[in-house]
Coordinates of all heavy atoms in Angstrom, one line a residue:
M1251 N -32.3 -18.9 -18.2 CA -32.0 -17.7 -17.3 C -31.1 -18.1 -16.2 O -30.2 -17.4 -15.7 CB -33.3 -17.2 -16.7 CG -33.1 -15.8 -16.0 SD -32.5 -14.6 -17.1 CE -31.9 -13.3 -15.9
K1252 N -31.2 -19.4 -15.8 CA -30.4 -19.9 -14.7 C -28.9 -20.0 -15.1 O -28.0 -19.7 -14.3 CB -30.9 -21.3 -14.3 CG -30.5 -21.6 -12.8 CD -30.6 -23.1 -12.6 CE -32.0 -23.6 -12.5 NZ -32.1 -25.0 -12.3
Y1253 N -28.7 -20.3 -16.4 CA -27.3 -20.4 -16.9 C -26.6 -19.1 -16.9 O -25.4 -19.0 -16.7 CB -27.4 -21.0 -18.3 CG -27.8 -22.4 -18.3 CD1 -29.1 -22.8 -18.9 CD2 -27.0 -23.4 -17.8 CE1 -29.5 -24.1 -18.9 CE2 -27.5 -24.7 -17.7 CZ -28.7 -25.1 -18.3 OH -29.2 -26.4 -18.3
L1254 N -27.3 -18.0 -17.1 CA -26.7 -16.7 -17.1 C -26.1 -16.4 -15.7 O -25.0 -15.9 -15.6 CB -27.8 -15.6 -17.5 CG -27.9 -15.3 -18.9 CD1 -29.0 -14.2 -19.2 CD2 -26.6 -14.8 -19.5
I1255 N -26.9 -16.7 -14.7 CA -26.4 -16.5 -13.3 C -25.2 -17.3 -13.0 O -24.2 -16.8 -12.5 CB -27.5 -16.8 -12.3 CG1 -28.7 -15.8 -12.6 CG2 -27.1 -16.6 -10.9 CD1 -30.0 -16.2 -11.9
V1256 N -25.2 -18.6 -13.5 CA -24.1 -19.5 -13.2 C -22.9 -19.0 -14.0 O -21.7 -18.9 -13.5 CB -24.4 -20.9 -13.7 CG1 -23.2 -21.8 -13.6 CG2 -25.5 -21.5 -12.8
L1257 N -23.1 -18.5 -15.2 CA -22.0 -18.0 -16.1 C -21.4 -16.7 -15.4 O -20.2 -16.6 -15.4 CB -22.5 -17.7 -17.4 CG -21.5 -17.5 -18.5 CD1 -20.8 -18.8 -18.8 CD2 -22.1 -17.0 -19.8
A1258 N -22.2 -15.8 -14.9 CA -21.8 -14.6 -14.3 C -21.0 -15.0 -13.0 O -19.9 -14.4 -12.8 CB -22.9 -13.7 -13.9
L1259 N -21.4 -16.0 -12.3 CA -20.7 -16.4 -11.1 C -19.4 -17.0 -11.4 O -18.3 -16.7 -10.8 CB -21.6 -17.4 -10.3 CG -21.0 -17.8 -8.9 CD1 -21.2 -16.6 -8.0 CD2 -21.8 -19.0 -8.4
L1260 N -19.3 -17.8 -12.5 CA -18.1 -18.4 -12.9 C -17.1 -17.3 -13.4 O -15.9 -17.3 -13.1 CB -18.3 -19.4 -14.0 CG -18.9 -20.7 -13.6 CD1 -19.2 -21.6 -14.7 CD2 -17.9 -21.4 -12.6
A1261 N -17.6 -16.3 -14.1 CA -16.7 -15.2 -14.6 C -16.2 -14.4 -13.4 O -15.0 -14.1 -13.4 CB -17.5 -14.3 -15.5
Y1262 N -17.0 -14.2 -12.4 CA -16.6 -13.5 -11.3 C -15.5 -14.2 -10.5 O -14.5 -13.7 -10.1 CB -17.8 -13.2 -10.3 CG -17.4 -12.7 -9.0 CD1 -17.0 -11.3 -8.9 CD2 -17.4 -13.5 -7.9 CE1 -16.7 -10.8 -7.6 CE2 -17.0 -13.0 -6.6 CZ -16.7 -11.6 -6.5 OH -16.3 -11.1 -5.3
L1263 N -15.7 -15.5 -10.3 CA -14.7 -16.3 -9.7 C -13.4 -16.4 -10.5 O -12.3 -16.4 -9.9 CB -15.3 -17.8 -9.5 CG -16.4 -17.9 -8.4 CD1 -17.0 -19.3 -8.4 CD2 -15.8 -17.5 -7.0
Y1264 N -13.5 -16.4 -11.8 CA -12.4 -16.5 -12.6 C -11.5 -15.2 -12.5 O -10.3 -15.3 -12.3 CB -12.8 -16.7 -14.1 CG -11.7 -16.7 -15.1 CD1 -10.7 -17.7 -15.1 CD2 -11.5 -15.6 -16.0 CE1 -9.7 -17.6 -16.0 CE2 -10.5 -15.6 -16.9 CZ -9.6 -16.6 -16.9 OH -8.5 -16.5 -17.8
F1265 N -12.2 -14.1 -12.5 CA -11.4 -12.8 -12.4 C -10.8 -12.7 -11.0 O -9.7 -12.1 -10.9 CB -12.3 -11.7 -12.8 CG -12.5 -11.5 -14.3 CD1 -13.7 -11.7 -14.9 CD2 -11.4 -11.3 -15.1 CE1 -13.9 -11.6 -16.3 CE2 -11.5 -11.1 -16.5 CZ -12.8 -11.3 -17.1
T1266 N -11.6 -13.1 -10.0 CA -11.1 -13.0 -8.7 C -9.8 -13.9 -8.5 O -8.8 -13.5 -7.9 CB -12.1 -13.5 -7.7 OG1 -13.3 -12.7 -7.9 CG2 -11.7 -13.2 -6.2
W1267 N -9.9 -15.1 -9.1 CA -8.8 -16.0 -9.1 C -7.6 -15.5 -9.8 O -6.4 -15.6 -9.3 CB -9.2 -17.4 -9.7 CG -8.1 -18.3 -9.9 CD1 -7.5 -19.1 -8.9 CD2 -7.6 -18.7 -11.2 NE1 -6.6 -19.9 -9.5 CE2 -6.6 -19.7 -10.9 CE3 -7.8 -18.3 -12.5 CZ2 -5.8 -20.3 -11.9 CZ3 -7.0 -18.9 -13.5 CH2 -6.0 -19.9 -13.2
R1268 N -7.8 -14.8 -10.9 CA -6.7 -14.3 -11.7 C -6.1 -13.1 -10.9 O -4.8 -13.0 -11.0 CB -7.2 -13.7 -13.1 CG -7.2 -14.8 -14.1 CD -7.4 -14.2 -15.5 NE -6.5 -13.1 -15.8 CZ -6.5 -12.5 -17.0 NH1 -7.3 -12.9 -17.9 NH2 -5.7 -11.5 -17.2
K1269 N -6.9 -12.3 -10.3 CA -6.3 -11.2 -9.5 C -5.5 -11.7 -8.4 O -4.4 -11.1 -8.0 CB -7.5 -10.3 -9.0 CG -7.3 -8.8 -9.3 CD -8.5 -8.0 -9.3 CE -9.2 -8.1 -7.9 NZ -10.3 -7.1 -7.9
Q1270 N -5.9 -12.7 -7.7 CA -5.1 -13.3 -6.6 C -3.8 -13.9 -7.1 O -2.8 -14.0 -6.3 CB -6.0 -14.3 -5.8 CG -7.0 -13.6 -5.0 CD -7.9 -14.6 -4.3 OE1 -7.9 -15.8 -4.6 NE2 -8.7 -14.1 -3.4
R1271 N -3.8 -14.5 -8.3 CA -2.6 -15.2 -8.8 C -1.5 -14.2 -9.1 O -0.4 -14.5 -8.9 CB -3.0 -16.0 -10.0 CG -3.3 -17.4 -9.7 CD -3.5 -18.2 -11.0 NE -2.4 -18.0 -11.9 CZ -1.8 -19.0 -12.5 NH1 -2.2 -20.2 -12.3 NH2 -0.8 -18.8 -13.3
R1272 N -1.9 -13.1 -9.6 CA -0.8 -12.1 -10.0 C -1.0 -10.8 -9.3 O -1.4 -9.8 -9.9 CB -0.9 -11.9 -11.5 CG -0.8 -13.2 -12.3 CD -0.6 -12.9 -13.8 NE -1.5 -11.9 -14.3 CZ -1.3 -11.2 -15.4 NH1 -0.2 -11.5 -16.1 NH2 -2.1 -10.3 -15.8
P1273 N -0.7 -10.7 -8.0 CA -0.8 -9.5 -7.3 C 0.3 -8.5 -7.7 O 1.4 -8.8 -7.7 CB -0.7 -9.9 -5.8 CG 0.1 -11.1 -5.9 CD -0.1 -11.8 -7.2
G1274 N -0.2 -7.3 -8.0 CA 0.8 -6.2 -8.4 C 1.3 -6.3 -9.8 O 2.1 -5.5 -10.2
A1275 N 0.8 -7.3 -10.6 CA 1.3 -7.4 -11.9 C 0.3 -6.6 -12.8 O -0.3 -7.2 -13.7 CB 1.4 -8.8 -12.3
G1276 N 0.1 -5.4 -12.6 CA -0.9 -4.6 -13.4 C -0.4 -4.4 -14.8 O 0.7 -4.0 -15.0
G1277 N -1.3 -4.8 -15.7 CA -0.9 -4.7 -17.1 C -1.3 -3.4 -17.8 O -1.3 -3.2 -19.0
G1278 N -1.8 -2.4 -17.0 CA -2.1 -1.1 -17.6 C -3.6 -0.8 -17.4 O -4.0 0.2 -16.9
K1279 N -4.5 -1.8 -17.7 CA -5.9 -1.5 -17.6 C -6.4 -2.1 -16.3 O -6.2 -3.3 -16.0 CB -6.7 -2.0 -18.8 CG -6.7 -3.5 -18.9 CD -7.6 -3.9 -20.1 CE -7.6 -5.4 -20.3 NZ -8.4 -5.8 -21.5
A1280 N -7.1 -1.3 -15.5 CA -7.5 -1.7 -14.2 C -8.7 -2.6 -14.3 O -9.6 -2.3 -15.1 CB -7.8 -0.5 -13.3
A1281 N -8.8 -3.6 -13.5 CA -10.0 -4.5 -13.5 C -11.2 -3.7 -12.9 O -11.0 -2.9 -12.0 CB -9.7 -5.7 -12.7
P1282 N -12.4 -3.9 -13.4 CA -13.5 -3.2 -12.8 C -13.7 -3.6 -11.3 O -13.6 -4.8 -11.0 CB -14.7 -3.7 -13.6 CG -14.2 -5.0 -14.3 CD -12.7 -4.8 -14.4
G1283 N -13.9 -2.6 -10.5 CA -14.1 -2.9 -9.1 C -12.8 -2.9 -8.3 O -12.8 -3.2 -7.1
A1284 N -11.7 -2.7 -9.0 CA -10.4 -2.7 -8.3 C -10.3 -1.4 -7.5 O -10.8 -0.4 -7.9 CB -9.2 -2.8 -9.3
N1285 N -9.5 -1.5 -6.4 CA -9.3 -0.3 -5.6 C -8.3 0.6 -6.2 O -7.2 0.3 -6.4 CB -8.7 -0.8 -4.2 CG -8.6 0.3 -3.2 OD1 -9.1 1.5 -3.5 ND2 -8.0 0.1 -2.1
P1286 N -8.7 1.8 -6.6 CA -7.8 2.7 -7.4 C -6.7 3.2 -6.5 O -5.7 3.6 -7.0 CB -8.8 3.8 -7.8 CG -9.9 3.8 -6.9 CD -10.0 2.4 -6.4
A1287 N -6.9 3.2 -5.2 CA -5.8 3.8 -4.3 C -4.8 2.7 -3.9 O -4.0 3.0 -3.0 CB -6.5 4.4 -3.1
S1288 N -4.9 1.5 -4.4 CA -4.1 0.5 -3.9 C -2.6 0.7 -4.3 O -1.7 0.8 -3.4 CB -4.5 -0.9 -4.5 OG -4.5 -0.9 -5.9
D1289 N -2.3 0.8 -5.6 CA -0.9 1.1 -5.9 C -0.8 2.0 -7.1 O 0.1 2.8 -7.1 CB -0.2 -0.2 -6.2 CG -1.0 -1.1 -7.2 OD1 -1.9 -0.6 -7.8 OD2 -0.7 -2.3 -7.3
A1290 N -1.7 2.0 -8.1 CA -1.5 2.7 -9.3 C -1.7 4.2 -9.1 O -1.0 5.0 -9.6 CB -2.4 2.1 -10.4
G1291 N -2.8 4.5 -8.4 CA -3.2 5.9 -8.3 C -2.4 6.7 -7.3 O -2.6 7.9 -7.2
Q1292 N -1.5 6.1 -6.5 CA -0.9 6.8 -5.4 C 0.6 7.0 -5.8 O 1.3 6.1 -6.3 CB -0.9 6.0 -4.2 CG -0.9 6.8 -2.9 CD -1.2 6.0 -1.7 OE1 -1.2 4.7 -1.7 NE2 -1.5 6.6 -0.6
A1293 N 1.1 8.2 -5.6 CA 2.5 8.5 -5.9 C 3.3 7.8 -4.8 O 3.0 7.7 -3.7 CB 2.7 10.0 -5.9
P1294 N 4.5 7.3 -5.2 CA 5.4 6.7 -4.2 C 5.9 7.7 -3.2 O 6.3 8.8 -3.5 CB 6.5 6.1 -5.1 CG 6.5 6.9 -6.3 CD 5.1 7.3 -6.6
Q1295 N 5.9 7.2 -2.0 CA 6.3 8.1 -0.8 C 7.8 7.8 -0.6 O 8.2 6.7 -0.5 CB 5.5 7.7 0.4 CG 4.0 8.1 0.3 CD 3.8 9.5 0.9 OE1 4.7 10.1 1.4 NE2 2.7 10.1 0.7
E1296 N 8.5 8.9 -0.3 CA 9.9 8.7 0.1 C 9.9 8.3 1.6 O 9.3 9.0 2.4 CB 10.6 10.0 -0.1 CG 12.1 9.9 0.2 CD 12.8 11.2 0.2 OE1 12.2 12.2 -0.1 OE2 14.0 11.2 0.5
M1297 N 10.6 7.2 1.9 CA 10.7 6.8 3.3 C 11.9 7.3 3.9 O 13.0 7.3 3.3 CB 10.7 5.2 3.3 CG 9.4 4.6 2.6 SD 7.9 5.0 3.5 CE 8.0 3.9 4.9
V1298 N 11.7 7.7 5.2 CA 12.9 8.2 6.0 C 13.0 7.3 7.2 O 12.0 6.7 7.6 CB 12.8 9.7 6.3 CG1 12.8 10.5 5.1 CG2 11.5 9.9 7.0
R1299 N 14.1 7.4 7.9 CA 14.3 6.6 9.1 C 14.5 7.5 10.3 O 15.3 8.4 10.3 CB 15.6 5.8 8.8 CG 16.0 4.8 9.9 CD 17.2 4.0 9.5 NE 17.7 3.2 10.5 CZ 18.5 3.6 11.5 NH1 19.0 4.9 11.4 NH2 19.0 2.8 12.4
C1300 N 13.8 7.1 11.4 CA 13.9 7.9 12.6 C 15.4 7.7 13.2 O 15.9 6.6 13.3 CB 12.9 7.3 13.6 SG 13.1 8.1 15.3
D1301 N 16.0 8.8 13.5 CA 17.4 8.8 14.0 C 17.4 8.3 15.4 O 18.5 8.0 15.9 CB 18.0 10.2 13.9 CG 18.4 10.5 12.5 OD1 18.3 9.7 11.6 OD2 18.9 11.7 12.3
H1302 N 16.3 8.2 16.1 CA 16.3 7.7 17.5 C 16.0 6.2 17.6 O 16.8 5.4 18.2 CB 15.3 8.4 18.3 CG 15.3 8.1 19.8 ND1 16.2 8.6 20.6 CD2 14.5 7.2 20.5 CE1 16.0 8.1 21.8 NE2 15.0 7.3 21.8
C1303 N 14.9 5.7 16.9 CA 14.5 4.3 17.1 C 14.7 3.5 15.8 O 14.5 2.3 15.8 CB 13.1 4.2 17.6 SG 11.9 4.8 16.4
G1304 N 15.0 4.2 14.7 CA 15.2 3.4 13.5 C 13.9 3.1 12.7 O 14.0 2.4 11.7
L1305 N 12.8 3.6 13.2 CA 11.5 3.3 12.5 C 11.5 4.0 11.1 O 11.9 5.2 11.0 CB 10.4 3.8 13.3 CG 9.0 3.6 12.8 CD1 8.5 2.2 13.0 CD2 8.0 4.5 13.4
H1306 N 11.0 3.3 10.1 CA 10.9 3.9 8.8 C 9.4 4.4 8.6 O 8.5 3.8 9.0 CB 11.1 2.8 7.7 CG 12.6 2.5 7.5 ND1 13.2 1.6 8.4 CD2 13.5 3.0 6.7 CE1 14.5 1.6 8.0 NE2 14.7 2.4 7.0
L1307 N 9.3 5.6 8.1 CA 8.0 6.2 7.9 C 8.1 7.2 6.7 O 9.1 7.6 6.3 CB 7.6 7.0 9.2 CG 8.4 8.3 9.6 CD1 7.5 9.1 10.6 CD2 9.7 8.0 10.2
P1308 N 6.9 7.5 6.2 CA 6.9 8.5 5.1 C 7.4 9.8 5.5 O 7.2 10.3 6.6 CB 5.4 8.5 4.7 CG 4.8 7.3 5.2 CD 5.6 7.0 6.5
R1309 N 8.1 10.5 4.5 CA 8.7 11.8 4.9 C 7.6 12.8 5.3 O 7.9 13.6 6.2 CB 9.4 12.3 3.7 CG 10.1 13.7 3.9 CD 11.0 14.1 2.8 NE 12.2 13.4 2.7 CZ 13.3 13.7 3.5 NH1 13.2 14.6 4.4 NH2 14.4 13.0 3.4
N1310 N 6.4 12.8 4.8 CA 5.5 13.8 5.2 C 4.9 13.5 6.5 O 4.1 14.3 7.1 CB 4.3 13.9 4.1 CG 3.6 12.6 4.0 OD1 3.9 11.6 4.6 ND2 2.5 12.6 3.2
E1311 N 5.2 12.4 7.2 CA 4.7 12.1 8.5 C 5.9 12.2 9.5 O 5.7 12.0 10.7 CB 4.1 10.7 8.6 CG 2.9 10.5 7.8 CD 2.4 9.1 7.9 OE1 2.7 8.4 8.9 OE2 1.6 8.7 7.0
S1312 N 7.1 12.6 9.0 CA 8.2 12.6 9.9 C 8.4 14.0 10.5 O 7.8 15.0 10.0 CB 9.5 12.2 9.1 OG 9.8 13.2 8.2
L1313 N 9.2 14.1 11.5 CA 9.6 15.4 12.1 C 11.1 15.6 12.0 O 11.8 14.6 12.1 CB 9.2 15.4 13.6 CG 7.7 15.3 13.9 CD1 7.5 15.1 15.4 CD2 6.9 16.5 13.4
T1314 N 11.5 16.8 11.7 CA 12.9 17.1 11.6 C 13.3 18.2 12.6 O 12.5 19.0 13.0 CB 13.3 17.6 10.2 OG1 12.4 18.7 9.9 CG2 13.1 16.5 9.2
D1315 N 14.5 18.1 13.1 CA 15.0 19.2 13.9 C 15.8 20.1 13.0 O 15.8 20.0 11.8 CB 15.9 18.6 15.1 CG 17.1 17.9 14.6 OD1 17.4 17.9 13.3 OD2 17.8 17.3 15.4
G1316 N 16.4 21.1 13.6 CA 17.1 22.2 12.8 C 18.4 21.7 12.2 O 18.9 22.3 11.3
R1317 N 18.9 20.5 12.6 CA 20.1 20.0 12.0 C 19.9 18.9 11.0 O 20.9 18.2 10.6 CB 21.0 19.5 13.2 CG 21.4 20.5 14.2 CD 22.0 19.9 15.4 NE 21.1 19.1 16.1 CZ 21.4 18.3 17.2 NH1 22.6 18.3 17.6 NH2 20.5 17.6 17.7
G1318 N 18.7 18.8 10.5 CA 18.5 17.8 9.4 C 18.3 16.4 9.9 O 18.2 15.5 9.0
H1319 N 18.1 16.2 11.2 CA 17.8 14.8 11.6 C 16.3 14.6 11.5 O 15.5 15.5 11.6 CB 18.3 14.7 13.1 CG 19.8 14.7 13.3 ND1 20.4 15.5 14.1 CD2 20.7 14.0 12.6 CE1 21.7 15.3 14.1 NE2 21.9 14.4 13.1
V1320 N 16.0 13.3 11.3 CA 14.6 12.9 11.1 C 14.1 12.1 12.2 O 14.8 11.2 12.7 CB 14.5 12.2 9.8 CG1 13.0 11.8 9.5 CG2 15.0 13.0 8.6
F1321 N 12.9 12.3 12.7 CA 12.4 11.6 13.8 C 10.9 11.2 13.6 O 10.2 11.8 12.8 CB 12.4 12.4 15.1 CG 13.9 12.8 15.5 CD1 14.3 14.0 15.2 CD2 14.7 11.8 16.1 CE1 15.6 14.4 15.5 CE2 16.0 12.2 16.4 CZ 16.5 13.4 16.1
C1322 N 10.5 10.1 14.2 CA 9.1 9.6 14.0 C 8.1 10.3 14.9 O 6.9 10.3 14.6 CB 9.1 8.1 14.3 SG 9.4 7.6 16.0
S1323 N 8.5 10.9 16.0 CA 7.6 11.6 16.9 C 8.3 12.7 17.6 O 9.5 12.8 17.6 CB 7.1 10.6 17.9 OG 8.1 10.1 18.7
S1324 N 7.5 13.6 18.2 CA 8.1 14.7 18.9 C 8.9 14.3 20.1 O 9.8 14.9 20.5 CB 7.0 15.8 19.3 OG 6.0 15.1 20.1
Q1325 N 8.4 13.2 20.7 CA 9.1 12.6 21.9 C 10.5 12.2 21.5 O 11.5 12.5 22.2 CB 8.3 11.4 22.4 CG 8.8 10.9 23.7 CD 8.0 9.7 24.2 OE1 7.2 9.1 23.5 NE2 8.3 9.3 25.4
H1326 N 10.7 11.5 20.4 CA 12.0 11.1 19.9 C 12.8 12.2 19.5 O 14.1 12.2 19.6 CB 11.9 10.0 18.8 CG 11.5 8.7 19.3 ND1 11.3 7.6 18.5 CD2 11.2 8.3 20.6 CE1 10.9 6.6 19.3 NE2 10.9 7.0 20.5
R1327 N 12.2 13.3 18.9 CA 12.9 14.5 18.5 C 13.5 15.1 19.8 O 14.7 15.6 19.8 CB 12.0 15.4 17.8 CG 12.8 16.7 17.3 CD 11.8 17.6 16.6 NE 10.8 18.0 17.5 CZ 9.7 18.7 17.2 NH1 9.5 19.0 15.9 NH2 8.8 19.0 18.0
D1328 N 12.7 15.2 20.9 CA 13.2 15.8 22.1 C 14.4 15.0 22.7 O 15.3 15.5 23.3 CB 12.1 15.9 23.1 CG 11.0 16.9 22.6 OD1 11.3 17.7 21.7 OD2 9.9 16.9 23.1
Q1329 N 14.3 13.6 22.6 CA 15.3 12.8 23.1 C 16.6 12.8 22.3 O 17.6 12.4 22.7 CB 14.8 11.4 23.3 CG 13.7 11.2 24.4 CD 13.1 9.9 24.4 OE1 13.5 9.0 23.7 NE2 12.0 9.7 25.2
G1330 N 16.4 13.1 21.0 CA 17.6 13.2 20.1 C 18.0 11.9 19.5 O 17.4 10.8 19.9
G1331 N 19.0 11.9 18.7 CA 19.5 10.7 18.0 C 20.2 9.9 18.9 O 20.9 10.3 19.9
A1332 N 20.2 8.5 18.7 CA 20.9 7.6 19.6 C 22.4 7.6 19.3 O 22.8 7.7 18.2 CB 20.3 6.2 19.4
Ligands
ZN357 ZN1 11.5 7.1 16.7

């Protein structure tokens, strides 16, 4: 019975080691216990750049003025593009 525990521990360490060796190299089937929201389950976000400070942020978190400029915050929108 002791060997079963040791074997399970070794298998756990082996899979952890394999996951750390190849980050992001998903081969299609997710490992059990993997975080589904890490990369595969999330749609890629379009990144936009603040016209005032140059910060990159997802489009759905950005603010735009009436002229198509993109800003990271209402403060930067009020200050306008640099
Ligand atoms: Zn900004």
Side-chain angles (χ1 to χ4, degrees):
M1251 190 60 197
K1252 204 197 289 180
Y1253 292 111
L1254 269 179
I1255 299 169
V1256 173
L1257 197 68
L1259 187 69
L1260 283 175
Y1262 171 75
L1263 288 174
Y1264 174 69
F1265 282 116
T1266 308
W1267 171 72
R1268 271 190 54 173
K1269 228 160 60 171
Q1270 283 176 349
R1271 262 184 56 130
R1272 305 191 313 162
K1279 66 177 177 183
N1285 186 7
S1288 59
D1289 48 16
Q1292 208 171 15
Q1295 290 270 351
E1296 185 188 355
M1297 300 297 284
V1298 294
R1299 184 175 169 276
C1300 175
D1301 281 358
H1302 185 79
C1303 66
L1305 180 79
H1306 286 81
L1307 70 162
R1309 181 174 283 282
N1310 64 353
E1311 293 178 22
S1312 67
L1313 298 171
T1314 55
D1315 63 4
R1317 296 170 296 174
H1319 293 128
V1320 180
F1321 300 100
C1322 66
S1323 63
S1324 58
Q1325 192 182 5
H1326 284 178
R1327 183 182 58 191
D1328 293 344
Q1329 291 172 8

